[in-house]
């Protein structure tokens, strides 16, 4: 595996992600921010944050497969959520859980969550970008 995820001593253990990602792969893959577009370019889950998070993860999975990798190769995720408030965390985790079940993975790479005012189109509630290291 090209990515080793760890929680070093001295940093808190977070269930949702690991604090550090060590990439040893020979190929770096940068995946553009994925939004809740299906393959047909139509918004999936309009008004439903969990459904949109799920679609973003599925889109990242598709991109990783095309690059010859999988979620096991993800070194870092950055998540942008429109009008973020902490009460939306359960919807975020619901979407991640559903996508993880469909993808057959446990995605826990280091992640950064940012609240933003808006995204590219008003229907998009979340955008997620990924960086991977693939052997």
């Amino acid at each position: 595996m090209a990515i080793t995820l760890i929680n070093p001593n001295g940093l808190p253990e977070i269930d949702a992600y690991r604090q550090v990602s060590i990439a040893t792969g020979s190929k770096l893959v940068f995946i553009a921010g994925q939004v809740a577009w299906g393959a047909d370019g139509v918004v999936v889950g309009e008004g439903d944050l969990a459904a949109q998070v799920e679609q973003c993860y599925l889109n990242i999975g598709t991109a990783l497969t095309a690059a010859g990798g999988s979620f096991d190769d993800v070194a870092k995720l950055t998540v942008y959520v429109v009008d973020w408030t902490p009460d939306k965390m359960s919807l975020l985790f619901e979407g991640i859980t559903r996508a993880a079940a469909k993808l057959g993975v446990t995605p826990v790479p280091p992640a950064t969550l940012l609240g933003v005012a808006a995204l590219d189109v008003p229907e998009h509630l979340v955008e997620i970008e990924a960086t991977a290291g693939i052997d």
Side-chain angles (χ1 to χ4, degrees):
M1 180 186 307
I3 303 296
T4 303
L5 303 174
I6 64 171
N7 279 318
N9 290 332
L11 293 177
E13 282 197 33
I14 309 293
D15 288 337
Y17 63 89
R18 302 300 175 263
Q19 294 281 8
V20 176
S21 166
I22 302 166
T24 57
S26 58
K27 177 170 52 172
L28 283 176
V29 178
F30 300 90
I31 298 172
Q34 295 299 301
V35 293
W37 276 326
D40 57 3
V42 174
V43 174
V44 173
E46 190 169 337
D48 182 344
L49 180 59
Q52 290 200 14
V53 168
E54 178 182 2
Q55 186 63 45
C56 290
Y57 271 76
L58 295 176
N59 289 350
I60 290 169
T62 298
L64 287 165
T65 299
S70 72
F71 254 96
D72 290 334
D73 300 310
V74 173
K76 173 107 173 34
L77 294 171
T78 304
V79 181
Y80 305 90
V81 181
V82 174
D83 297 325
W84 174 257
T85 56
D87 63 311
K88 294 180 181 179
M89 187 65 81
S90 63
L91 295 170
L92 184 73
F93 285 141
E94 179 184 333
I96 293 169
T97 300
R98 292 191 325 221
K102 287 181 178 177
L103 294 165
V105 298
T106 304
V108 292
T112 300
L113 172 64
L114 300 165
V116 296
L119 293 170
D120 59 337
V121 297
E123 295 81 15
H124 291 155
L125 304 175
V126 61
E127 182 169 338
I128 305 173
E129 62 185 22
T131 302
I134 300 173
D135 280 331

